[in-house]
Amino acid sequence: MVQNAPHAALFLLVALVAPAASAIPDGLLPNGNFEETPAKSQLNGTRVMGRYAIPHWEISGFVEYIGPGQKQGDMILPVPEGAYAVRLGNEASIRQRLAVTRGARYSVTFSAARTCAQAEELNVTVAPESDILPIQTVYTSSGWDSYSWAFKARHSAVTLIVHNPGVTEDPACGPLLDAFAIKTLHPPALTKDNMLRNGDFEEGPYIFPDVPWWVLVPPLDEDDYSPLSPWMVLSTTKSVKYLDAAHYTVPHGAHAVELLSGVETALVQDVATVVGRPYRLEFSTGDAGDGCAGSLFVRAYAARGSVTVPHESQGKGAHKRGVLDFTAIANRTRVVFVSMAYTMKNDGTLCGPVLDDVSLVGLHSHAARRFLL
Ligand SMILES: *[C@@H]1O[C@H](CO)[C@@H](O)[C@H](O)[C@H]1NC(C)=O
Ligand SMILES: *[C@@H]1O[C@H](CO)[C@@H](O)[C@H](O)[C@H]1NC(C)=O
Ligand SMILES: *[C@@H]1O[C@H](CO)[C@@H](O)[C@H](O)[C@H]1NC(C)=O
């Protein structure tokens, strides 16, 4: 017994260290792209029969396993990642248990496409958080969009559930899903020279390194944790697009946001201010070099001030700085950005101005210094 003591101590040490080491790494979830197939005996046509038939996933309800060449009427259903995807019928869901770090924040990225149903929503849950994501608007010509959603881990193991809350006449009509990935979020700290956090949009959801190089950030309730936190996307159904500098013209750093849906969507952040003090809001805007040509307009609001920055876009990537000086009228000031126009690319998909490198500073210190000199 005595001889075993050092081993016991070692075991204890390993056990204490192990939970952190086993938390899920950034990237594709286990079988996140559904390329590990169910056994043939678990399928009836495309319908998945067994609850645990798809490796690493648990299903409930009418779930189909969609392979190459699968048709919907006369149309072949395209699969965005690899050869396989799943489709959730009426009230069906898929879930996966995730090993995470308790207290950490995560964002989940996945691809979704509508098929024949009018149920254009997905219910994404990691208890106790649950949100209905609108997937009504299609932002790509392929029909597949990449969505993000964020949660705070309340336990070291959580269950991600994606559920189709829709009920339609054809039980098979529902959204297609593919390519699930996860990323640990590091909530941005305040810096000395900016009263806004994450002003450069460097902290955000997972973007696949191959395709499509962007991800939608859908609208959420104001008290939910946003993948772009502390920025919030406010809209009834429309998203903003989070872009990667490797494939888009981004004014500063590695990421930016594209405002896609005119005045229907606002990107906002609340900041503590002092009533009566002057502040300066600055930002970069332009086009992402993604063929979004036309007259683009970003409007910024803060307190009683607003400024509109026009950009005649050739769709080749150019940007400029916008400035808004305002005086705070409350303890908290909501900084708001909207796109004032609806623009479409040649392929008929929605696009809009990019926004990046947003900063807010108090002007009182400069004014005071000027008086002293
Ligand atoms: C497979 O599906 C068909 C059509 O829905 C049904 O008639 C049949 O009973 C199913 N077979 C099994 C083994 O469940
Ligand atoms: C969303 O899914 C969760 C978990 O399955 C469920 O508890 C909740 O009732 C669902 N919400 C809606 C509106 O369907
Ligand atoms: C400012 O904050 C204080 C305390 O936090 C509160 O009592 C006061 O009502 C606030 N004033 C305004 C204008 O919001």
Side-chain angles (χ1 to χ4, degrees):
M1 286 306 277
V2 173
Q3 263 175 328
N4 278 342
H7 296 267
L10 188 65
F11 173 78
L12 202 64
L13 193 66
V14 169
L16 284 172
V17 168
S22 68
I24 198 157
D26 288 359
L28 201 65
L29 290 184
N31 201 22
N33 51 7
F34 303 103
E35 296 303 295
E36 287 178 51
T37 62
K40 281 257 156 37
S41 61
Q42 295 284 328
L43 294 174
N44 181 359
T46 52
R47 183 165 182 183
V48 183
M49 303 309 288
R51 206 172 174 85
Y52 301 98
I54 304 173
H56 298 282
W57 294 93
E58 181 185 343
I59 66 157
S60 80
F62 193 105
V63 174
E64 287 178 283
Y65 192 66
I66 304 296
Q70 182 65 42
K71 283 193 172 172
Q72 174 73 53
D74 294 335
M75 270 176 46
I76 289 189
L77 294 173
V79 171
E81 219 289 328
Y84 297 98
V86 296
R87 176 154 66 169
L88 301 185
N90 285 348
E91 288 284 4
S93 68
I94 54 165
R95 62 184 66 203
Q96 183 169 135
R97 194 99 172 125
L98 307 172
V100 289
T101 303
R102 188 163 172 251
R105 292 168 198 273
Y106 293 89
S107 83
V108 173
T109 292
F110 61 91
S111 296
R114 281 206 278 141
T115 59
C116 40
Q118 293 307 307
E120 295 130 343
E121 293 175 336
L122 282 170
N123 173 10
V124 185
T125 303
V126 168
E129 288 158 68
S130 191
D131 283 291
I132 301 286
L133 307 191
I135 60 164
Q136 181 173 348
T137 308
V138 177
Y139 297 89
T140 52
S141 46
S142 73
W144 281 92
D145 282 305
S146 194
Y147 288 89
S148 62
W149 183 75
F151 67 92
K152 182 177 177 183
R154 309 290 160 112
H155 307 281
S156 56
V158 297
T159 304
L160 169 69
I161 308 170
V162 183
H163 160 228
N164 169 21
V167 176
T168 57
E169 233 170 88
D170 180 351
C173 271
L176 287 159
L177 296 173
D178 200 3
F180 280 83
I182 195 164
K183 182 183 163 199
T184 307
L185 294 172
H186 303 281
L190 265 184
T191 57
K192 223 172 47 247
D193 49 358
N194 195 350
M195 294 166 64
L196 297 171
R197 288 174 211 253
N198 204 14
D200 209 11
F201 302 106
E202 292 308 300
E203 187 58 29
Y206 185 81
I207 296 181
F208 281 99
D210 32 18
V211 277
W213 310 307
W214 54 263
V215 58
L216 296 171
V217 182
L220 291 179
D221 295 337
E222 291 189 32
D223 49 358
D224 287 331
Y225 195 75
S226 159
L228 277 178
S229 181
W231 292 103
M232 296 177 281
V233 178
L234 302 184
S235 178
T236 50
T237 60
K238 302 289 198 295
S239 304
V240 303
K241 205 168 181 175
Y242 186 59
L243 305 176
D244 165 356
H247 303 90
Y248 291 92
T249 307
V250 160
H252 189 259
H255 297 99
V257 165
E258 184 173 338
L259 301 174
L260 289 169
S261 32
V263 294
E264 281 181 87
T265 308
L267 185 66
V268 313
Q269 185 171 151
D270 292 335
V271 61
T273 49
V274 177
V275 177
R277 284 219 183 139
Y279 294 91
R280 173 166 292 174
L281 177 69
E282 285 191 64
F283 54 95
S284 293
T285 182
D287 69 279
D290 57 352
C292 188
S295 300
L296 308 179
F297 301 90
V298 163
R299 182 171 291 173
Y301 299 86
R304 295 205 175 95
S306 73
V307 66
T308 304
V309 181
H311 171 63
E312 282 306 318
S313 171
Q314 322 231 290
K316 292 179 183 155
H319 53 88
K320 58 175 84 161
R321 289 294 275 174
V323 180
L324 172 62
D325 287 344
F326 68 93
T327 301
I329 53 171
N331 280 351
R332 290 194 82 69
T333 297
R334 173 159 286 190
V335 171
V336 181
F337 290 96
V338 293
S339 160
M340 298 306 289
Y342 291 86
T343 320
M344 272 187 191
K345 290 195 264 193
N346 284 338
D347 65 2
T349 57
L350 285 169
C351 68
V354 284
L355 179 71
D356 200 4
D357 201 8
V358 186
S359 71
L360 181 70
V361 294
L363 289 176
H364 54 278
S365 54
H366 298 278
R369 215 174 297 139
R370 223 177 295 137
F371 278 118
L372 287 173
L373 287 173

